[in-house]
Amino acid sequence: MTEKHYILEEADPAAFFGVNNANLRLLRALYPKLRIIGRDNVIKVMGDEEEMAVFDETFGRLERHCATFNTLSEEDIVGIVKSRHAESDAPSDVIVYTTGGKPITARSLNQRRLVEAYAANDMIFAIGPAGSGKTYTAIALAVRALKNKEVKKIILSRPAVEAGEKLGFLPGDMKDKIDPYLQPLYDALQEMIPPAKLQDYLATDVIQIAPLAFMRGRTLNDAVVILDEAQNTTTAQIKMFLTRMGWNTKMIVTGDRTQIDLPASVKSGLTEARRILGGVEGIAFIEMNRGDIVRHKLVTRIVEAYEHDARLAQERRQAAEAAKADTAAEDRPQP
């Protein structure tokens, strides 16, 4: 009798075992000469040596399928075991799959440009309005790189800029105070990585989420590094962040220039970076617009209304300045 232990390194054990271990029961039925036991992320297999050799190859394909799609159905198992399909390769336009097995793809022209720019450049700026998928697409690209072992870690950061509230009024220690700023990043990760795996990644610093201030002094190698809400950085802060870049690292900077929460006297680092770095080789800028918004249809209407109001305000300011100039001209003594 042969005995072997298999460790689920990439796949989520809960998805692999199935509801109430239904997938394990199916594997036992398909391999009657083997005794298959699952516990935590380890599968213990004992039995006939020849059947073990067949199971050995099948297990690898099953795990890759589960790791890719974040799900493993009984139909998938039968198809792979009976060789009706080989390894399940994701379609070329799929970035990654959600924990429910749904494909995440670029859903607009500029989102596709962002995906293409990621492949061709080491630093990408994605600039656009709320709901245009900047952060979500960036995190999907990072998760794909981690799953494909292209990088060793994902680092996500945001500036902790107060928008109407003060950090001191929030309960808890510094981590508790900062977490609300980082919640949108957690939300995206939770859609793409199974809960147990995500907790493991966070506990072992494979995925790091930290405010921008914690980046100072670091060199970031073998990572996908994402800076979200970059419109709320100062010029000094974004320069500090961009110069953290190390070997085999990709940086994605996202932001919306219409949602700057900095004091009026402080220039946005994102705006300055767009002006200064526009022609630098290896850096791509993707400008998104309201046509890329993929949230509720009201979000598009809200963005349009605010843009219209901003245009009217600009026109009123220009008219007032022109009237003031005409009055000043009339008041000047005539020669």
Side-chain angles (χ1 to χ4, degrees):
M1 178 181 289
T2 303
E3 178 177 323
K4 190 169 182 178
H5 292 77
Y6 298 88
I7 299 176
L8 294 169
E9 295 181 349
E10 302 300 328
D12 176 35
F16 191 93
F17 295 161
V19 178
N20 296 323
N21 290 331
N23 291 346
L24 286 183
R25 290 197 297 272
L26 176 58
L27 286 172
R28 291 174 190 135
L30 293 169
Y31 294 94
K33 295 181 182 181
L34 298 178
R35 185 182 178 197
I36 303 173
I37 303 170
R39 185 179 179 86
D40 296 327
N41 67 330
V42 179
I43 298 176
K44 180 180 178 181
V45 183
M46 298 171 287
D48 180 76
E49 187 173 348
E50 290 184 5
E51 191 149 310
M52 180 82 77
V54 177
F55 178 84
D56 191 75
E57 179 185 351
T58 302
F59 171 81
R61 293 159 63 191
L62 291 171
E63 185 186 24
R64 285 189 290 271
H65 178 100
C66 189
T68 299
F69 296 95
N70 286 319
T71 186
L72 185 65
S73 67
E74 295 185 9
E75 291 78 9
D76 295 329
I77 293 172
V78 172
I80 292 173
V81 169
K82 300 298 184 182
S83 297
R84 286 205 291 269
H85 55 79
E87 287 183 32
S88 302
D89 294 325
S92 59
D93 62 337
V94 174
I95 303 171
V96 73
Y97 285 80
T98 68
T99 54
K102 294 181 180 179
I104 296 174
T105 61
R107 296 173 60 185
S108 70
L109 174 61
N110 286 317
Q111 286 184 17
R112 287 194 291 274
R113 287 175 175 165
L114 174 56
V115 174
E116 293 166 359
Y118 176 88
N121 300 273
D122 289 336
M123 187 177 291
I124 307 97
F125 286 77
I127 304 170
S132 54
K134 309 179 297 295
T135 302
Y136 193 80
T137 304
I139 291 179
L141 290 167
V143 170
R144 183 183 67 181
L146 185 64
K147 284 193 169 192
N148 292 345
K149 301 187 184 301
E150 296 167 10
V151 296
K152 294 180 180 178
K153 57 194 171 187
I154 297 172
I155 301 172
L156 308 174
S157 186
R158 269 185 154 203
V161 173
E162 301 162 353
E165 294 186 31
K166 298 294 183 182
L167 277 173
F169 289 112
L170 296 174
D173 59 17
M174 181 54 71
K175 181 182 182 302
D176 294 328
K177 293 175 187 292
I178 289 169
D179 271 355
Y181 291 95
L182 306 176
Q183 192 58 48
L185 307 180
Y186 287 113
D187 291 343
L189 288 170
Q190 287 166 355
E191 282 196 40
M192 302 175 200
I193 301 175
K197 196 69 177 176
L198 178 56
Q199 288 304 314
D200 179 59
Y201 281 153
L202 290 169
T204 57
D205 283 340
V206 172
I207 295 179
Q208 302 171 25
I209 304 179
L212 180 60
F214 290 19
M215 295 292 106
R216 187 173 299 279
R218 300 182 63 182
T219 300
L220 308 174
N221 296 315
D222 294 308
V224 176
V225 188
I226 298 173
L227 175 61
D228 193 31
E229 299 289 347
Q231 76 275 1
N232 287 329
T233 62
T234 64
T235 300
Q237 286 174 330
I238 200 167
K239 179 183 177 183
M240 177 274 291
F241 173 82
L242 297 178
T243 53
R244 301 306 94 200
M245 190 174 192
W247 297 106
N248 190 39
T249 288
K250 297 250 186 181
M251 279 191 167
I252 307 176
V253 179
T254 67
D256 178 1
R257 285 178 292 193
T258 67
Q259 295 193 58
I260 298 173
D261 297 317
L262 297 169
S265 60
V266 179
K267 288 185 177 180
S268 167
L270 179 63
T271 301
E272 289 295 281
R274 181 69 181 94
R275 179 181 64 83
I276 295 169
L277 303 176
V280 176
E281 184 179 355
I283 301 178
F285 285 85
I286 307 300
E287 298 279 354
M288 295 182 166
N289 53 54
R290 60 175 177 263
D292 298 299
I293 294 176
V294 292
R295 292 180 186 167
H296 194 283
K297 59 185 178 183
L298 278 178
V299 175
T300 302
R301 296 174 189 169
I302 290 168
V303 171
E304 289 174 348
Y306 274 93
E307 288 180 350
H308 179 66
D309 183 71
R311 285 195 299 271
L312 291 178
Q314 178 67 18
E315 290 171 3
R316 286 194 294 268
R317 284 194 298 271
Q318 290 174 346
E321 290 172 0
K324 185 178 180 180
D326 291 341
T327 301
E330 291 174 0
D331 291 342
R332 282 198 296 268
Q334 297 297 322

